[in-house]
Amino acid sequence: MLAWILSLAAVLLIPATASAETARQPGLSTTQKAALLTDFGTALKNIDPGAMATVVTPNAVWNFPGTSVESGRARGVKQIIARAKVQHDFGLTITLEHVTFAAHDMLAEFHTHAQRNGKTLDEYVIDDFQFRDGRISHIDSGVSDVNGVNSFFS
């Protein structure tokens, strides 16, 4: 009886697994991911909604920890550009340190620095970039000093 159940399970599961694998779309190459990261950084630096719209999906989400004006969920080009404006207004300098590629995601480590109103921000941020339809669809940021971010961007 057990052998019959196992053979039935194999017949039922193998086609489902095979069809799921054939339905999976190939991921972006590391070159394509790196190009998107470069274009994303340029669009942020230039506060360019048109360029940003070519790099992120229309409903892209960027989560940033903390409770400051920089923190929270930015959804779509308009809110992501608003976050770029905050970074610009606070004088943030962002330097790319490392990039790590995964099968479907990409992790980028940045060193961020700024001085404003007697406060200094000097921290590391790791962004997890996710992709869909050849563009960035989701970014989750992790910071080394959430309290420092909250204090600086207050």
Side-chain angles (χ1 to χ4, degrees):
M1 180 67 144
L2 180 58
W4 180 81
I5 292 172
L6 291 175
S7 65
L8 178 60
V11 169
L12 294 175
L13 293 177
I14 289 172
T17 303
S19 64
E21 285 301 315
T22 56
R24 173 178 272 165
Q25 296 179 357
L28 296 172
S29 70
T30 57
T31 302
Q32 291 169 314
K33 290 175 185 178
L36 283 170
L37 177 61
T38 299
D39 293 347
F40 179 78
T42 301
L44 279 180
K45 182 178 177 181
N46 296 334
I47 311 173
D48 185 341
M52 186 62 70
T54 67
V55 177
V56 301
T57 59
N59 59 350
V61 172
W62 183 3
N63 294 313
F64 198 90
T67 57
S68 72
V69 296
E70 176 74 355
S71 303
R73 175 173 284 169
R75 182 180 294 278
V77 171
K78 186 176 180 178
Q79 290 181 6
I80 290 172
I81 289 296
R83 179 166 287 159
K85 178 93 169 91
V86 168
Q87 292 174 351
H88 180 268
D89 291 349
F90 278 76
L92 200 62
T93 300
I94 303 170
T95 305
L96 178 63
E97 297 282 325
H98 302 284
V99 177
T100 303
F101 298 99
H104 300 287
D105 296 5
M106 176 180 63
L107 299 172
E109 180 182 14
F110 301 94
H111 180 224
T112 60
H113 186 271
Q115 291 184 323
R116 183 173 192 260
N117 297 334
K119 295 180 183 178
T120 299
L121 180 69
D122 186 21
E123 64 151 357
Y124 289 90
V125 177
I126 296 179
D127 288 338
D128 176 9
F129 290 86
Q130 299 172 17
F131 305 93
R132 189 178 70 245
D133 299 329
R135 294 190 276 174
I136 298 167
S137 61
H138 197 99
I139 306 166
D140 278 320
S141 293
V143 300
S144 61
D145 183 6
V146 176
N147 291 332
V149 169
N150 290 339
S151 174
F152 185 79
F153 287 103
S154 60

